[in-house]
Amino acid sequence: MQVLYTASATASGDGRNGHVETSDGTFTLDLAVPKEMGGTGGAANPEQLFAAGYAACFHGALRLVARRAKADVTGSVVAAEVGIGPSGSGGFGLTVQLVIDLPAVSRETAEQIVEQAHQVCPYSNATRGNIDVALTVRETLPA
């Protein structure tokens, strides 16, 4: 693979109760363990960061695939939910649910675009076979 861009970030402090920042300084954030996992909450956590990255990346792939198919992506939205819990083998695992709105195309076209985007998206390719990823095309009413 020819690398076109490399992102670099550093975590410091107490892991999930620490701090992250990118090498170029454009992103800096304190982290906290969510209350649901016994922490104090009140700050971002790694699962939120992963959800934001996956949603943005998948939306980019979706728009690329739609553009190639000459499909209208007006009003398109991708929401990502990332779950974390015990894996059953002593560690922790993740799940992902992507909920996609493509209101300007038929449901059949939307489902085809979503499936193709799932093959194009780098996050989908990285997680395939490692994390359960559910894709849901939200039922939208025509405008």
Side-chain angles (χ1 to χ4, degrees):
M1 180 180 93
Q2 177 188 358
V3 175
L4 300 175
Y5 168 75
T6 300
S8 179
T10 302
S12 60
D14 190 20
R16 289 178 160 273
N17 284 312
H19 182 83
V20 292
E21 62 184 89
T22 57
S23 60
D24 63 3
T26 59
F27 181 82
T28 179
L29 192 63
D30 289 329
L31 302 174
V33 174
K35 290 180 181 181
E36 297 84 350
M37 293 178 63
T40 59
N45 61 66
E47 290 69 40
Q48 290 172 321
L49 300 177
F50 186 59
Y54 203 157
C57 188
F58 195 89
H59 198 208
L62 183 82
R63 294 177 65 83
L64 173 71
V65 168
R67 194 169 41 250
R68 288 178 180 165
K70 297 185 180 4
D72 186 355
V73 293
T74 302
S76 63
V77 176
V78 175
E81 297 177 3
V82 174
I84 183 172
S87 66
S89 60
F92 286 84
L94 299 174
T95 63
V96 174
Q97 166 126 13
L98 298 177
V99 179
I100 301 100
D101 290 302
L102 275 167
V105 298
S106 71
R107 180 167 191 83
E108 180 181 350
T109 299
E111 288 174 351
Q112 290 171 355
I113 290 170
V114 166
E115 283 302 322
Q116 290 173 17
H118 193 43
Q119 300 307 310
V120 170
C121 175
Y123 277 58
S124 292
N125 290 330
T127 60
R128 190 169 288 110
N130 301 309
I131 296 175
D132 289 332
V133 177
L135 304 171
T136 302
V137 176
R138 193 182 334 245
E139 193 69 42
T140 54
L141 300 173

